Amino acid sequence: MDTEILRIDRDHISDSDIKRAAGVIRSGGLVAFPTETVYGLGGDALNPDSSKKIYAAKGRPSDNPLIVHIYDLGQVEKIAMLDEGSYRIDRVPDKVKALAKKFWPGPLTIILNKKENVPYETTGGLDTVAIRMPSDPIAAAFIREAGYIAAPSANISGRPSPTKVTHVIEDMTGRIDMIIDGGDVDIGLESTILDLTDKAPVILRPGAITDRDISEVIGKTGYDPGLKGGENAAPKAPGMKYRHYAPKGELVIVRGDGERVRDYINARIQEDKHELIKTGVICPDEHVLNYRASVVKCTGKLGDEEAVAHRLYSILREFDSEEVQMIYSEAFDDEGIGSAVMNRLLKAAGHRVVDANDKEE
Ligand code: AMP
Ligand code: MG
């Protein structure tokens, strides 16, 4: 299949380009498009064949549901049941309204019970549907024209999510009809997923919007205990159980006091070099000269976790193309978006963490 690349300038969005891209969706095709979180791989959310095509293009297990993207709050009641059990479709519940007022459009996905018109092919067989309203202007214009767009991240399953159009081109050329090139994304990590289908609201995937942000709007909201990892962990979001974001090389996170971390990583690099293993380090700009690895990747200024979020997936892909075999990452602060950064980094590392303070040098 030929994949057309359509460049759209987010400051001067061309109506006719948006119409053309939306036409592809309406005729059952797939279009990758930028959002503020990561690039999405879009298809018509209400067309089961489109959703099947998305799974095929990504090589994604079909029990891993897709997020439905909307542009207007009024669309929620068309695809979600708004009161458990009773079919009250006349208004969006206050909780969803309050969250939407504060966070939509933006990086928050809300899970509600689905209506019949949402095919099981889109929800991975679940009776619930995940809904998000993106803020990226290209995404918003595109969804407005196309209707309801089901979109997971536009990467091959198991690779880091795409934050640049080059990542999408790398993974999706020949697999989908069109790629909208809207430049680099803003945030760089996927949305926060909030489940509202149980009595207590629970976050199934951390993102730029934190438990504290959500608690301020709808009261106490915690994280799914299954996110912690370990053998008995069973995350509630089907996608969180898969080993995502894994670089080809082995990745270890090293935490502890600054000098201890530096000395531990350098000692390991020294050993690796004897074995002719190509090494890499992930660290803040200020620490770049501390390490003697083959490749050192900087995440931005020390303490700027938003900058880490923005660069992380790109760095993991760069390590792959440079064929780095052993990667050491400094641990980042767990506050704010840092909790999402550490969640993705821990998954990429298969939860391998070393505490340098425990090590004798
Ligand atoms: P992606 O779009 O690639 O970031 O993947 C979507 C994520 O949303 C996956 O982790 C899914 O498991 C999760 N998700 C989507 N719909 C639901 C749902 N109805 N219930 C729980 N998790 C969901
Ligand atoms: Mg994904």
Side-chain angles (χ1 to χ4, degrees), residues 38 58 60 64 152-155 159 161-162 190 205 244-245:
V38 300
K58 277 181 69 79
R60 178 177 175 122
N64 188 0
S153 47
N155 53 293
R159 297 211 72 200
S161 296
E190 304 85 345
R205 176 174 75 184
H244 267 187
Y245 327 118

Side-chain angles (χ1 to χ4, degrees), residues 58 60 64-67 109 111-112 123 126 128-130 151-153 155 161 190 193 195 204-205 236-240 244-245:
K58 277 181 69 79
R60 178 177 175 122
N64 188 0
L66 311 174
I67 294 172
T109 295
I111 297 181
L112 298 167
T123 66
L126 298 176
T128 55
V129 58
S153 47
N155 53 293
S161 296
E190 304 85 345
I193 299 181
D195 186 355
L204 306 188
R205 176 174 75 184
K236 280 189 73 182
M240 299 302 281
H244 267 187
Y245 327 118

Side-chain angles (χ1 to χ4, degrees), residues 5 9 39 52 96 117 152 171 207 211 213 250 296 307 361:
I5 297 172
D9 179 351
Y39 267 84
K52 279 189 199 154
V96 178
N117 59 342
D171 282 12
D211 55 340
D213 299 331
E250 204 173 317
V296 181
E361 286 307 326

Side-chain angles (χ1 to χ4, degrees), residues 131-143:
I131 307 174
R132 182 168 103 80
M133 189 194 296
S135 66
D136 180 283
I138 298 174
F142 177 47
I143 300 160

Side-chain angles (χ1 to χ4, degrees), residues 323-340:
E323 304 197 327
V324 174
Q325 295 160 285
M326 192 65 224
I327 307 161
Y328 301 95
S329 177
E330 290 192 16
F332 296 95
D333 194 356
D334 220 1
E335 281 300 300
I337 195 171
S339 66

